[in-house]
């Protein structure tokens, strides 16, 4: 049985210890880093199923650390911060984060978010929580081995790899899941709520539309030839998003 590994990055020792105890009690293997540089060193040596990342840290802040982590890891990143303005959340998502939880936080909410992110990360890698091959009907996200051609994009479902005119694209799991969903249902309009609940696999909440919007913007930067004039992922004003 594989144990999911979580990295906690925070310069506050007390907060790290609290989160460590909470998540270790749920059966996870926990590693800690007191700053961004330590976090980068650990992510270069070990694979993680989740990274919990503070924003205000000495040296590299959380946003900078996230950008650097994304150069070699697609593990989900949960920002944990007292900075709760929409602009802070947008910056977090733009730097490559998957979710954002404000301090102070409830222990149940932290555990719930952590489990949801890890579960989604493992499902898209063909694993269940026990590390075994996922059932073929799990969330209808089974791998088919099919290669989808969509304009200049090629999506290899078996390898979960995307190329643009033959050049590989580096997508996070969230970006890949959004793209695959939209492409496999081209022509269908997905509201922000529908996208969030389908990709994040959890109930829609107030503010989640902003999360979806930022991830769509990041995805366009990677897959569109001209992100300012998107041809692949269209915004249908007042309704949602669609791939044509």
């Amino acid at each position: 049985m594989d144990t999911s590994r979580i990295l906690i990055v925070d310069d506050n020792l007390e907060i790290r210890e609290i989160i460590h105890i909470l998540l270790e009690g749920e059966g996870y293997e926990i590693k800690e880093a007191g700053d961004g540089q330590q976090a980068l060193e650990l992510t270069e040596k070990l694979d993680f199923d989740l990274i919990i990342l503070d924003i205000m840290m000495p040296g590299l802040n959380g946003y900078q650390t996230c950008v650097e982590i994304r150069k070699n890891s697609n593990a989900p990143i949960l920002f944990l911060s007292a900075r709760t303005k929409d602009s802070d959340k947008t910056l977090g998502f733009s730097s490559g984060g998957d979710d954002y939880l404000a301090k102070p936080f409830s222990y149940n909410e932290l555990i719930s978010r952590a489990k949801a992110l890890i579960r989604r990360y493992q499902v898209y890698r063909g694993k269940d929580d026990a590390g075994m091959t996922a059932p073929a009907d799990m969330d209808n996200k089974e791998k088919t081995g099919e290669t989808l051609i969509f304009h200049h994009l090629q999506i290899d479902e078996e390898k979960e790899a995307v190329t643009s005119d033959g050049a590989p694209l580096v997508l996070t799991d969230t970006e890949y899941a959004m793209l695959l969903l939209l492409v496999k249902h081209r022509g269908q309009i997905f509201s922000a709520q529908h996208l969030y609940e389908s990709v994040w696999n959890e109930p829609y909440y107030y503010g989640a539309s902003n999360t979806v919007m930022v991830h769509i913007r990041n995805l366009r930067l990677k897959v569109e030839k001209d992100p300012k004039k998107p041809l692949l992922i269209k915004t249908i004003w007042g309704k949602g998003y669609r791939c044509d």
Side-chain angles (χ1 to χ4, degrees):
M1 173 177 168
D2 295 335
T3 300
S4 297
R5 183 185 293 132
I6 299 175
L7 174 61
I8 303 168
V9 189
D10 199 305
D11 61 320
N12 188 313
L13 176 60
E14 183 178 357
I15 290 178
R16 291 205 312 270
E17 288 181 342
I18 291 172
I19 299 174
H20 189 136
I21 292 170
L22 280 174
L23 295 177
E24 193 171 58
E26 296 294 320
Y28 298 115
E29 177 187 346
I30 308 298
K31 299 292 182 182
E32 296 183 24
D35 57 44
Q37 188 58 45
Q38 290 180 20
L40 294 180
E41 292 171 0
L42 282 170
T43 56
E44 288 175 357
K45 297 175 182 177
L46 300 170
D47 292 326
F48 291 93
D49 296 283
L50 174 65
I51 299 168
I52 298 176
L53 185 58
D54 186 31
I55 291 177
M56 300 303 294
M57 296 186 296
L60 292 175
N61 63 34
Y63 302 134
Q64 295 168 323
T65 303
C66 185
V67 170
E68 292 302 312
I69 288 174
R70 279 288 170 253
K71 293 179 180 179
N72 58 39
S73 174
N74 280 328
I77 294 176
L78 170 62
F79 278 110
L80 199 62
S81 177
R83 302 183 63 165
T84 58
K85 293 182 179 179
D86 285 344
S87 58
D88 295 320
K89 296 179 181 179
T90 298
L91 187 55
F93 293 131
S94 297
S95 63
D98 294 274
D99 206 349
Y100 198 108
L101 186 59
K103 296 178 181 178
F105 53 87
S106 77
Y107 296 161
N108 286 339
E109 180 69 8
L110 174 62
I111 292 172
S112 175
R113 295 283 187 94
K115 287 184 175 180
L117 287 167
I118 290 172
R119 180 173 60 249
R120 181 160 51 87
Y121 185 57
Q122 292 177 334
V123 164
Y124 282 104
R125 274 158 174 70
K127 294 181 177 180
D128 61 13
D129 291 332
M132 303 300 290
T133 301
D137 61 349
M138 178 176 282
D139 295 332
N140 294 319
K141 297 184 179 73
E142 69 275 19
K143 296 179 183 178
T144 65
E146 182 181 5
T147 297
L148 302 175
I149 307 298
F150 181 61
H151 295 267
H152 57 275
L153 300 180
Q154 300 83 42
I155 305 173
D156 186 329
E157 288 191 77
E158 180 65 27
K159 297 179 180 178
E160 295 185 353
V162 181
T163 57
S164 174
D165 290 330
L169 298 179
V170 180
L171 305 183
T172 67
D173 278 354
T174 301
E175 292 164 352
Y176 174 82
M178 294 182 83
L179 178 64
L180 184 63
L181 181 67
L182 289 167
V183 170
K184 294 189 79 169
H185 298 85
R186 64 188 72 180
Q188 178 179 340
I189 298 174
F190 284 83
S191 67
Q193 179 175 349
H194 192 173
L195 268 177
Y196 185 83
E197 292 180 344
S198 298
V199 173
W200 275 259
N201 197 28
E202 59 183 62
Y204 185 79
Y205 68 95
Y206 177 77
S209 60
N210 187 55
T211 299
V212 171
M213 179 185 68
V214 174
H215 279 82
I216 287 286
R217 184 179 66 191
N218 291 344
L219 182 57
R220 282 173 172 158
L221 288 172
K222 298 179 180 181
V223 304
E224 297 280 359
K225 293 194 172 181
D226 183 357
K228 294 182 179 179
K229 298 178 181 179
L231 297 177
L232 307 186
I233 304 174
K234 302 286 187 64
T235 296
I236 311 301
W237 296 109
K239 294 183 179 180
Y241 306 93
R242 180 184 71 201
C243 273
D244 289 330

